[in-house]
Short mmCIF file of all heavy atoms in Angstrom, two decimals:
data_model
loop_
_atom_site.label_atom_id
_atom_site.label_comp_id
_atom_site.label_asym_id
_atom_site.label_seq_id
_atom_site.Cartn_x
_atom_site.Cartn_y
_atom_site.Cartn_z
N MET A 3 8.41 21.10 9.12
CA MET A 3 9.00 20.18 8.21
C MET A 3 8.10 18.95 8.24
O MET A 3 7.51 18.56 9.19
CB MET A 3 10.46 19.80 8.86
CG MET A 3 11.10 18.70 8.07
SD MET A 3 12.71 18.17 8.77
CE MET A 3 13.63 19.56 8.34
N LYS A 4 8.06 18.27 7.06
CA LYS A 4 7.25 17.07 7.05
C LYS A 4 8.16 15.88 6.76
O LYS A 4 9.16 16.01 5.95
CB LYS A 4 6.28 17.16 5.89
CG LYS A 4 5.34 18.30 6.03
CD LYS A 4 4.02 18.08 5.44
CE LYS A 4 3.27 19.43 5.71
NZ LYS A 4 1.75 19.15 5.84
N VAL A 5 7.87 14.77 7.41
CA VAL A 5 8.57 13.53 7.33
C VAL A 5 7.61 12.39 7.08
O VAL A 5 6.58 12.31 7.59
CB VAL A 5 9.36 13.16 8.73
CG1 VAL A 5 10.07 11.90 8.66
CG2 VAL A 5 10.32 14.43 9.08
N ARG A 6 8.09 11.55 6.11
CA ARG A 6 7.25 10.34 5.76
C ARG A 6 7.95 9.05 6.26
O ARG A 6 9.05 8.86 6.02
CB ARG A 6 6.99 10.24 4.28
CG ARG A 6 6.22 8.97 3.95
CD ARG A 6 5.88 8.89 2.45
NE ARG A 6 7.13 8.54 1.70
CZ ARG A 6 7.24 8.29 0.45
NH1 ARG A 6 6.17 8.54 -0.30
NH2 ARG A 6 8.24 8.01 -0.15
N LEU A 7 7.14 8.33 7.02
CA LEU A 7 7.68 6.97 7.49
C LEU A 7 7.02 5.88 6.60
O LEU A 7 5.83 6.06 6.29
CB LEU A 7 7.27 6.78 8.97
CG LEU A 7 7.83 7.83 9.85
CD1 LEU A 7 7.30 7.50 11.32
CD2 LEU A 7 9.31 7.81 9.89
N HIS A 8 7.68 4.91 6.21
CA HIS A 8 7.18 3.90 5.40
C HIS A 8 7.68 2.58 5.92
O HIS A 8 8.85 2.32 6.03
CB HIS A 8 7.80 4.13 3.97
CG HIS A 8 7.10 3.21 2.94
ND1 HIS A 8 7.85 2.32 2.24
CD2 HIS A 8 5.90 3.00 2.46
CE1 HIS A 8 7.08 1.70 1.41
NE2 HIS A 8 5.87 2.10 1.54
N GLY A 9 6.77 1.65 6.21
CA GLY A 9 7.13 0.35 6.69
C GLY A 9 5.92 -0.43 7.18
O GLY A 9 4.81 -0.02 6.82
N THR A 10 6.07 -1.48 8.01
CA THR A 10 4.86 -2.15 8.41
C THR A 10 4.24 -1.34 9.49
O THR A 10 4.95 -0.44 10.07
CB THR A 10 5.36 -3.57 9.13
OG1 THR A 10 6.17 -3.28 10.17
CG2 THR A 10 6.08 -4.46 8.08
N ARG A 11 3.01 -1.56 9.94
CA ARG A 11 2.37 -0.84 10.93
C ARG A 11 3.22 -0.87 12.24
O ARG A 11 3.29 0.23 12.88
CB ARG A 11 0.98 -1.41 11.24
CG ARG A 11 -0.08 -1.12 10.15
CD ARG A 11 -1.40 -1.59 10.55
NE ARG A 11 -2.45 -1.35 9.49
CZ ARG A 11 -3.16 -0.26 9.47
NH1 ARG A 11 -3.12 0.67 10.43
NH2 ARG A 11 -4.03 -0.06 8.49
N GLN A 12 3.70 -1.96 12.58
CA GLN A 12 4.51 -2.04 13.80
C GLN A 12 5.82 -1.16 13.76
O GLN A 12 6.10 -0.46 14.67
CB GLN A 12 4.91 -3.48 14.17
CG GLN A 12 3.67 -4.34 14.50
CD GLN A 12 3.00 -4.87 13.30
OE1 GLN A 12 3.46 -4.68 12.14
NE2 GLN A 12 1.77 -5.39 13.43
N GLU A 13 6.46 -1.23 12.60
CA GLU A 13 7.72 -0.46 12.36
C GLU A 13 7.40 1.00 12.43
O GLU A 13 8.05 1.78 13.19
CB GLU A 13 8.36 -0.75 11.10
CG GLU A 13 9.00 -2.15 11.02
CD GLU A 13 9.28 -2.50 9.67
OE1 GLU A 13 8.78 -1.98 8.63
OE2 GLU A 13 10.33 -3.38 9.51
N VAL A 14 6.36 1.56 11.82
CA VAL A 14 5.98 2.88 11.74
C VAL A 14 5.51 3.36 13.11
O VAL A 14 5.81 4.42 13.58
CB VAL A 14 4.84 3.09 10.72
CG1 VAL A 14 4.26 4.43 10.76
CG2 VAL A 14 5.46 2.82 9.30
N ALA A 15 4.76 2.56 13.83
CA ALA A 15 4.36 2.90 15.23
C ALA A 15 5.57 3.02 16.17
O ALA A 15 5.57 3.99 16.91
CB ALA A 15 3.38 1.87 15.72
N GLU A 16 6.47 2.14 16.05
CA GLU A 16 7.71 2.27 16.89
C GLU A 16 8.62 3.45 16.55
O GLU A 16 9.08 4.21 17.42
CB GLU A 16 8.51 0.94 16.80
CG GLU A 16 9.78 0.98 17.61
CD GLU A 16 9.48 1.09 19.17
OE1 GLU A 16 8.38 0.86 19.57
OE2 GLU A 16 10.48 1.43 19.82
N ALA A 17 8.66 3.67 15.24
CA ALA A 17 9.52 4.80 14.80
C ALA A 17 8.88 6.11 15.21
O ALA A 17 9.52 7.04 15.72
CB ALA A 17 9.68 4.81 13.28
N THR A 18 7.54 6.16 15.18
CA THR A 18 6.77 7.36 15.59
C THR A 18 7.04 7.60 17.09
O THR A 18 7.28 8.72 17.47
CB THR A 18 5.35 7.29 15.27
OG1 THR A 18 5.18 7.15 13.85
CG2 THR A 18 4.54 8.49 15.70
N ARG A 19 6.83 6.59 17.91
CA ARG A 19 7.04 6.65 19.26
C ARG A 19 8.46 7.21 19.66
O ARG A 19 8.63 8.08 20.45
CB ARG A 19 6.81 5.33 19.97
CG ARG A 19 6.89 5.33 21.50
CD ARG A 19 6.83 3.96 22.09
NE ARG A 19 7.99 3.18 21.76
CZ ARG A 19 9.18 3.33 22.44
NH1 ARG A 19 9.37 4.39 23.29
NH2 ARG A 19 10.29 2.61 22.09
N ARG A 20 9.44 6.71 18.90
CA ARG A 20 10.79 7.19 19.31
C ARG A 20 11.07 8.61 18.76
O ARG A 20 11.68 9.33 19.47
CB ARG A 20 11.83 6.21 18.57
CG ARG A 20 11.87 4.81 19.16
CD ARG A 20 12.91 4.03 18.47
NE ARG A 20 12.88 2.71 18.96
CZ ARG A 20 13.85 1.73 18.69
NH1 ARG A 20 14.77 2.07 17.90
NH2 ARG A 20 13.72 0.58 19.05
N LEU A 21 10.46 8.93 17.62
CA LEU A 21 10.68 10.31 17.08
C LEU A 21 10.01 11.41 18.05
O LEU A 21 10.49 12.49 18.20
CB LEU A 21 10.26 10.46 15.67
CG LEU A 21 11.21 9.67 14.67
CD1 LEU A 21 10.45 9.67 13.25
CD2 LEU A 21 12.47 10.43 14.60
N VAL A 22 8.79 11.03 18.53
CA VAL A 22 8.11 11.91 19.48
C VAL A 22 8.96 12.27 20.65
O VAL A 22 8.88 13.34 21.28
CB VAL A 22 6.77 11.30 19.80
CG1 VAL A 22 6.11 12.00 20.98
CG2 VAL A 22 5.87 11.38 18.59
N GLN A 23 9.80 11.32 21.04
CA GLN A 23 10.63 11.41 22.28
C GLN A 23 11.83 12.49 22.05
O GLN A 23 12.30 13.12 22.98
CB GLN A 23 11.19 10.19 22.70
CG GLN A 23 10.12 9.21 23.24
CD GLN A 23 10.72 7.88 23.66
OE1 GLN A 23 11.78 7.55 23.46
NE2 GLN A 23 9.93 7.04 24.14
N VAL A 24 12.14 12.61 20.74
CA VAL A 24 13.40 13.46 20.43
C VAL A 24 13.18 14.71 19.57
O VAL A 24 13.93 15.57 19.53
CB VAL A 24 14.56 12.68 19.93
CG1 VAL A 24 15.07 11.58 20.82
CG2 VAL A 24 14.21 11.96 18.59
N LEU A 25 11.99 14.76 19.00
CA LEU A 25 11.64 15.92 18.13
C LEU A 25 10.35 16.52 18.57
O LEU A 25 9.40 15.85 19.28
CB LEU A 25 11.55 15.43 16.69
CG LEU A 25 12.74 14.88 16.03
CD1 LEU A 25 12.36 14.21 14.66
CD2 LEU A 25 13.75 15.92 15.85
N ASP A 26 10.15 17.77 18.15
CA ASP A 26 8.81 18.44 18.43
C ASP A 26 7.84 18.11 17.34
O ASP A 26 7.79 18.77 16.27
CB ASP A 26 9.11 19.97 18.53
CG ASP A 26 7.88 20.71 18.93
OD1 ASP A 26 6.91 20.15 19.31
OD2 ASP A 26 7.92 21.97 18.76
N VAL A 27 7.16 17.02 17.50
CA VAL A 27 6.18 16.50 16.60
C VAL A 27 4.82 17.18 16.78
O VAL A 27 4.31 17.12 17.93
CB VAL A 27 6.03 14.96 16.70
CG1 VAL A 27 4.99 14.43 15.67
CG2 VAL A 27 7.39 14.25 16.46
N VAL A 28 4.32 17.87 15.82
CA VAL A 28 3.15 18.71 16.05
C VAL A 28 1.96 18.00 15.38
O VAL A 28 0.81 18.34 15.72
CB VAL A 28 3.24 20.17 15.46
CG1 VAL A 28 4.31 20.86 16.36
CG2 VAL A 28 3.67 20.18 14.06
N ALA A 29 2.15 17.03 14.49
CA ALA A 29 1.09 16.29 13.87
C ALA A 29 1.47 14.98 13.44
O ALA A 29 2.62 14.83 12.86
CB ALA A 29 0.42 17.14 12.72
N VAL A 30 0.62 13.99 13.52
CA VAL A 30 0.82 12.60 13.00
C VAL A 30 -0.42 12.18 12.22
O VAL A 30 -1.47 12.22 12.81
CB VAL A 30 1.17 11.59 14.11
CG1 VAL A 30 1.43 10.19 13.54
CG2 VAL A 30 2.27 12.08 15.07
N SER A 31 -0.26 11.79 10.89
CA SER A 31 -1.37 11.33 10.23
C SER A 31 -1.67 9.82 10.60
O SER A 31 -0.92 9.16 11.21
CB SER A 31 -1.00 11.37 8.66
OG SER A 31 -0.21 10.30 8.36
N GLY A 32 -2.88 9.39 10.18
CA GLY A 32 -3.14 8.00 10.23
C GLY A 32 -2.44 7.22 9.24
O GLY A 32 -1.86 7.78 8.34
N PRO A 33 -2.32 5.94 9.39
CA PRO A 33 -1.62 5.10 8.39
C PRO A 33 -2.35 4.97 7.05
O PRO A 33 -3.59 4.73 7.07
CB PRO A 33 -1.57 3.84 9.09
CG PRO A 33 -2.66 3.74 9.99
CD PRO A 33 -2.93 5.04 10.56
N TYR A 34 -1.62 5.22 5.94
CA TYR A 34 -2.14 5.13 4.59
C TYR A 34 -1.57 3.83 4.09
O TYR A 34 -0.37 3.65 3.95
CB TYR A 34 -1.68 6.30 3.70
CG TYR A 34 -2.37 7.53 4.12
CD1 TYR A 34 -1.63 8.45 4.98
CD2 TYR A 34 -3.57 7.99 3.71
CE1 TYR A 34 -2.11 9.67 5.29
CE2 TYR A 34 -4.20 9.22 3.98
CZ TYR A 34 -3.42 10.04 4.80
OH TYR A 34 -3.92 11.29 5.14
N PRO A 35 -2.39 2.85 3.71
CA PRO A 35 -2.01 1.56 3.10
C PRO A 35 -1.32 1.78 1.74
O PRO A 35 -1.77 2.66 0.96
CB PRO A 35 -3.16 0.71 3.08
CG PRO A 35 -4.29 1.51 3.10
CD PRO A 35 -3.96 2.87 3.77
N ASP A 36 -0.29 0.91 1.44
CA ASP A 36 0.19 1.01 0.09
C ASP A 36 -0.71 0.52 -0.85
O ASP A 36 -1.65 -0.29 -0.48
CB ASP A 36 1.51 0.15 -0.02
CG ASP A 36 2.73 0.94 0.35
OD1 ASP A 36 2.72 2.06 0.77
OD2 ASP A 36 3.78 0.18 0.34
N ARG A 37 -0.66 0.78 -2.13
CA ARG A 37 -1.51 0.24 -3.05
C ARG A 37 -1.13 -1.25 -3.42
O ARG A 37 -0.02 -1.64 -3.33
CB ARG A 37 -1.39 1.08 -4.44
CG ARG A 37 -1.92 2.46 -4.31
CD ARG A 37 -1.82 3.17 -5.65
NE ARG A 37 -2.24 4.57 -5.45
CZ ARG A 37 -1.51 5.57 -5.64
NH1 ARG A 37 -0.33 5.48 -6.15
NH2 ARG A 37 -1.98 6.88 -5.43
N GLY A 38 -2.14 -1.95 -3.88
CA GLY A 38 -1.88 -3.31 -4.16
C GLY A 38 -1.81 -4.24 -2.88
O GLY A 38 -2.10 -3.76 -1.86
N PRO A 39 -1.34 -5.45 -3.20
CA PRO A 39 -1.20 -6.40 -2.02
C PRO A 39 -0.05 -6.19 -1.22
O PRO A 39 0.83 -7.03 -1.12
CB PRO A 39 -1.25 -7.72 -2.75
CG PRO A 39 -0.57 -7.46 -4.01
CD PRO A 39 -0.99 -6.07 -4.42
N SER A 40 0.09 -5.02 -0.45
CA SER A 40 1.27 -4.73 0.37
C SER A 40 0.86 -4.66 1.77
O SER A 40 -0.30 -4.33 2.15
CB SER A 40 1.82 -3.42 -0.09
OG SER A 40 2.97 -3.05 0.76
N VAL A 41 1.75 -5.08 2.70
CA VAL A 41 1.51 -5.02 4.16
C VAL A 41 2.15 -3.73 4.71
O VAL A 41 2.04 -3.44 5.93
CB VAL A 41 2.15 -6.12 4.91
CG1 VAL A 41 1.46 -7.43 4.44
CG2 VAL A 41 3.68 -6.22 4.70
N LEU A 42 2.69 -2.87 3.78
CA LEU A 42 3.30 -1.65 4.26
C LEU A 42 2.41 -0.47 4.33
O LEU A 42 1.36 -0.45 3.52
CB LEU A 42 4.51 -1.33 3.35
CG LEU A 42 5.57 -2.38 3.30
CD1 LEU A 42 6.73 -1.87 2.32
CD2 LEU A 42 6.23 -2.75 4.60
N VAL A 43 2.69 0.51 5.23
CA VAL A 43 1.80 1.71 5.25
C VAL A 43 2.71 2.99 5.35
O VAL A 43 4.00 2.76 5.41
CB VAL A 43 0.97 1.68 6.60
CG1 VAL A 43 -0.01 0.59 6.60
CG2 VAL A 43 1.82 1.68 7.79
N ARG A 44 2.12 4.17 5.11
CA ARG A 44 2.78 5.31 5.17
C ARG A 44 2.17 6.14 6.31
O ARG A 44 0.99 6.27 6.47
CB ARG A 44 2.78 6.14 3.80
CG ARG A 44 3.44 5.43 2.73
CD ARG A 44 3.33 6.13 1.36
NE ARG A 44 1.88 6.68 1.15
CZ ARG A 44 0.91 6.01 0.62
NH1 ARG A 44 1.03 4.69 0.44
NH2 ARG A 44 -0.27 6.57 0.42
N VAL A 45 3.00 6.85 7.04
CA VAL A 45 2.49 7.84 8.06
C VAL A 45 3.30 9.10 7.83
O VAL A 45 4.53 9.11 7.66
CB VAL A 45 2.72 7.27 9.46
CG1 VAL A 45 2.47 8.29 10.55
CG2 VAL A 45 1.75 6.05 9.70
N TYR A 46 2.67 10.21 7.93
CA TYR A 46 3.26 11.49 7.79
C TYR A 46 3.35 12.22 9.10
O TYR A 46 2.37 12.32 9.77
CB TYR A 46 2.56 12.34 6.71
CG TYR A 46 2.48 11.69 5.29
CD1 TYR A 46 1.52 10.76 5.05
CD2 TYR A 46 3.42 11.93 4.53
CE1 TYR A 46 1.43 10.12 3.85
CE2 TYR A 46 3.49 11.28 3.24
CZ TYR A 46 2.46 10.37 2.95
OH TYR A 46 2.50 9.67 1.65
N LEU A 47 4.52 12.83 9.30
CA LEU A 47 4.80 13.48 10.62
C LEU A 47 5.04 14.93 10.20
O LEU A 47 5.72 15.17 9.20
CB LEU A 47 5.91 12.92 11.46
CG LEU A 47 5.97 11.50 11.71
CD1 LEU A 47 7.28 11.17 12.50
CD2 LEU A 47 4.77 11.14 12.64
N GLU A 48 4.49 15.91 11.07
CA GLU A 48 4.89 17.23 10.88
C GLU A 48 5.68 17.57 12.17
O GLU A 48 5.24 17.47 13.23
CB GLU A 48 3.64 18.19 10.87
CG GLU A 48 4.08 19.63 10.41
CD GLU A 48 2.87 20.45 10.23
OE1 GLU A 48 1.77 19.92 9.84
OE2 GLU A 48 2.98 21.72 10.41
N ILE A 49 6.92 18.08 11.92
CA ILE A 49 7.82 18.43 12.95
C ILE A 49 8.20 19.84 12.95
O ILE A 49 8.30 20.40 11.92
CB ILE A 49 9.04 17.51 13.15
CG1 ILE A 49 9.90 17.64 11.95
CG2 ILE A 49 8.60 15.98 13.28
CD1 ILE A 49 11.24 16.95 12.08
N ARG A 50 8.53 20.39 14.16
CA ARG A 50 9.06 21.73 14.25
C ARG A 50 10.47 21.70 14.87
O ARG A 50 10.69 21.03 15.89
CB ARG A 50 8.11 22.47 15.24
CG ARG A 50 8.49 24.05 15.16
CD ARG A 50 7.62 24.83 16.05
NE ARG A 50 6.13 24.50 15.66
CZ ARG A 50 5.10 24.28 16.43
NH1 ARG A 50 5.34 24.31 17.70
NH2 ARG A 50 3.96 24.14 15.96
N LEU A 51 11.42 22.24 14.11
CA LEU A 51 12.85 22.31 14.60
C LEU A 51 12.91 23.48 15.61
O LEU A 51 12.45 24.53 15.28
CB LEU A 51 13.76 22.44 13.42
CG LEU A 51 13.88 21.27 12.48
CD1 LEU A 51 14.84 21.47 11.45
CD2 LEU A 51 14.15 19.95 13.18
N ASP A 52 13.77 23.23 16.61
CA ASP A 52 14.10 24.35 17.56
C ASP A 52 15.09 25.23 16.91
O ASP A 52 16.16 24.83 16.75
CB ASP A 52 14.54 23.85 18.93
CG ASP A 52 14.79 24.78 19.96
OD1 ASP A 52 14.67 26.06 19.67
OD2 ASP A 52 15.18 24.40 21.10
N PRO A 53 14.80 26.56 16.61
CA PRO A 53 15.71 27.44 16.00
C PRO A 53 16.89 27.75 16.90
O PRO A 53 17.94 28.26 16.37
CB PRO A 53 14.88 28.60 15.60
CG PRO A 53 13.81 28.62 16.57
CD PRO A 53 13.50 27.27 16.98
N THR A 54 16.85 27.50 18.21
CA THR A 54 17.91 27.81 19.14
C THR A 54 18.89 26.72 19.26
O THR A 54 19.95 26.93 19.78
CB THR A 54 17.33 28.26 20.44
OG1 THR A 54 16.61 27.08 21.01
CG2 THR A 54 16.42 29.40 20.40
N SER A 55 18.57 25.49 18.87
CA SER A 55 19.43 24.44 18.99
C SER A 55 20.46 24.38 17.71
O SER A 55 20.14 24.69 16.70
CB SER A 55 18.69 23.11 19.15
OG SER A 55 18.10 22.71 17.88
N SER A 56 21.69 23.88 18.05
CA SER A 56 22.59 23.72 17.01
C SER A 56 22.57 22.28 16.49
O SER A 56 22.09 21.36 17.11
CB SER A 56 23.96 24.08 17.55
OG SER A 56 24.36 23.09 18.60
N THR A 57 23.13 22.07 15.37
CA THR A 57 23.28 20.74 14.72
C THR A 57 24.17 19.85 15.58
O THR A 57 25.35 20.25 15.91
CB THR A 57 23.88 20.81 13.30
OG1 THR A 57 23.06 21.71 12.56
CG2 THR A 57 23.92 19.42 12.62
N PRO A 58 23.70 18.69 15.92
CA PRO A 58 24.55 17.77 16.69
C PRO A 58 25.70 17.32 15.96
O PRO A 58 25.71 17.22 14.72
CB PRO A 58 23.64 16.62 17.13
CG PRO A 58 22.54 16.62 16.10
CD PRO A 58 22.48 18.07 15.70
N PRO A 59 26.86 16.94 16.62
CA PRO A 59 27.98 16.42 15.91
C PRO A 59 27.78 15.08 15.28
O PRO A 59 26.84 14.39 15.72
CB PRO A 59 29.10 16.35 17.01
CG PRO A 59 28.29 16.20 18.30
CD PRO A 59 27.00 17.07 18.03
N ALA A 60 28.61 14.72 14.35
CA ALA A 60 28.46 13.41 13.71
C ALA A 60 28.61 12.33 14.65
O ALA A 60 29.38 12.43 15.68
CB ALA A 60 29.34 13.18 12.55
N SER A 61 27.97 11.18 14.50
CA SER A 61 28.10 10.06 15.43
C SER A 61 29.56 9.48 15.33
O SER A 61 30.13 9.49 14.24
CB SER A 61 27.06 8.94 14.97
OG SER A 61 25.84 9.34 15.10
N PRO A 62 30.07 8.93 16.35
CA PRO A 62 31.42 8.32 16.36
C PRO A 62 31.43 7.24 15.27
O PRO A 62 30.52 6.49 15.22
CB PRO A 62 31.61 7.79 17.69
CG PRO A 62 30.66 8.48 18.63
CD PRO A 62 29.50 8.85 17.68
N GLY A 63 32.46 7.22 14.57
CA GLY A 63 32.55 6.10 13.46
C GLY A 63 31.95 6.44 12.18
O GLY A 63 32.03 5.66 11.25
N ARG A 64 31.23 7.59 12.13
CA ARG A 64 30.60 8.09 10.84
C ARG A 64 31.14 9.36 10.43
O ARG A 64 31.18 10.26 11.36
CB ARG A 64 29.09 8.03 11.11
CG ARG A 64 28.41 6.68 11.39
CD ARG A 64 26.91 6.81 11.43
NE ARG A 64 26.48 7.10 10.09
CZ ARG A 64 25.23 7.49 9.95
NH1 ARG A 64 24.43 7.72 10.95
NH2 ARG A 64 24.82 7.78 8.75
N PRO A 65 31.48 9.47 9.27
CA PRO A 65 32.00 10.80 8.81
C PRO A 65 30.89 11.74 8.71
O PRO A 65 29.70 11.44 8.51
CB PRO A 65 32.54 10.48 7.40
CG PRO A 65 31.86 9.27 6.94
CD PRO A 65 31.51 8.44 8.19
N ALA A 66 31.31 12.98 8.95
CA ALA A 66 30.29 14.17 8.88
C ALA A 66 29.77 14.20 7.39
O ALA A 66 30.56 13.96 6.48
CB ALA A 66 30.91 15.50 9.28
N HIS A 67 28.52 14.66 7.19
CA HIS A 67 28.02 14.80 5.93
C HIS A 67 28.74 15.95 5.19
O HIS A 67 28.92 17.04 5.69
CB HIS A 67 26.51 15.09 5.95
CG HIS A 67 25.84 15.43 4.66
ND1 HIS A 67 25.71 14.47 3.66
CD2 HIS A 67 25.54 16.56 4.13
CE1 HIS A 67 25.12 14.97 2.61
NE2 HIS A 67 24.95 16.32 2.87
N ARG A 68 29.05 15.67 3.92
CA ARG A 68 29.60 16.76 3.14
C ARG A 68 28.87 16.75 1.83
O ARG A 68 28.44 15.68 1.26
CB ARG A 68 31.15 16.45 2.82
CG ARG A 68 32.03 16.62 4.03
CD ARG A 68 33.46 16.59 3.60
NE ARG A 68 33.82 15.21 3.31
CZ ARG A 68 34.98 14.90 2.78
NH1 ARG A 68 35.96 15.83 2.55
NH2 ARG A 68 35.30 13.66 2.43
N SER A 69 28.70 17.92 1.27
CA SER A 69 28.03 18.02 -0.04
C SER A 69 28.88 17.47 -1.12
O SER A 69 30.06 17.36 -1.12
CB SER A 69 27.65 19.49 -0.31
OG SER A 69 28.80 20.19 -0.63
N ARG A 70 28.20 17.22 -2.33
CA ARG A 70 28.89 16.74 -3.46
C ARG A 70 30.01 17.76 -3.91
O ARG A 70 31.04 17.37 -4.34
CB ARG A 70 27.96 16.42 -4.63
CG ARG A 70 27.20 15.22 -4.36
CD ARG A 70 26.37 14.95 -5.67
NE ARG A 70 25.66 13.68 -5.68
CZ ARG A 70 26.30 12.58 -5.96
NH1 ARG A 70 27.60 12.54 -6.42
NH2 ARG A 70 25.76 11.42 -6.04
N ARG A 71 29.68 18.97 -3.78
CA ARG A 71 30.64 20.03 -4.27
C ARG A 71 31.95 19.95 -3.35
O ARG A 71 33.05 20.19 -3.96
CB ARG A 71 29.92 21.42 -4.09
CG ARG A 71 30.89 22.56 -4.38
CD ARG A 71 30.20 23.77 -4.45
NE ARG A 71 29.58 23.95 -5.81
CZ ARG A 71 28.76 24.83 -6.19
NH1 ARG A 71 28.35 25.71 -5.31
NH2 ARG A 71 28.29 24.86 -7.35
N ALA A 72 31.75 19.68 -2.11
CA ALA A 72 32.92 19.65 -1.28
C ALA A 72 33.85 18.48 -1.60
O ALA A 72 35.03 18.42 -1.36
CB ALA A 72 32.53 19.49 0.28
N LEU A 73 33.25 17.42 -2.30
CA LEU A 73 34.00 16.30 -2.59
C LEU A 73 34.77 16.45 -3.90
O LEU A 73 35.65 15.61 -4.13
CB LEU A 73 33.12 15.03 -2.75
CG LEU A 73 32.36 14.66 -1.38
CD1 LEU A 73 31.49 13.55 -1.64
CD2 LEU A 73 33.43 14.29 -0.29
N SER A 74 34.42 17.30 -4.74
CA SER A 74 35.12 17.45 -6.04
C SER A 74 36.40 18.29 -5.96
O SER A 74 36.72 18.89 -5.09
CB SER A 74 34.23 18.00 -7.10
OG SER A 74 33.19 18.76 -6.65
#
């Protein structure tokens, strides 16, 4: 699975550090600067999901995700 992070260099570095602790990150790209006069960058992560783990329950205080079809 590929994930794109978008933010300042510091935000992207911190998010990457945290994601590496909880996901199986197999590759991290270098930072790609946005076009034009922007201070934001993009970093791409490649992660591998563990096929033996189940989906964690929804966080307390947040409803579980439902598809649009389920809402109609």
Side-chain angles (χ1 to χ4, degrees):
M3 173 186 289
K4 298 206 181 213
V5 176
R6 180 177 71 179
L7 302 177
H8 186 243
T10 65
R11 284 184 182 265
Q12 295 80 14
E13 290 170 333
V14 169
E16 179 64 17
T18 300
R19 186 187 67 74
R20 292 182 188 190
L21 288 170
V22 166
Q23 294 175 355
V24 296
L25 296 171
D26 183 12
V27 177
V28 295
V30 179
S31 76
Y34 293 96
D36 275 357
R37 293 184 183 121
S40 177
V41 297
L42 302 180
V43 297
R44 297 176 316 280
V45 169
Y46 298 88
L47 307 178
E48 186 174 338
I49 64 170
R50 186 175 308 134
L51 297 178
D52 182 358
T54 61
S55 69
S56 62
T57 304
S61 300
R64 294 184 67 195
H67 174 74
R68 292 190 287 172
S69 69
R70 288 187 169 273
R71 176 171 277 169
L73 297 175
S74 25

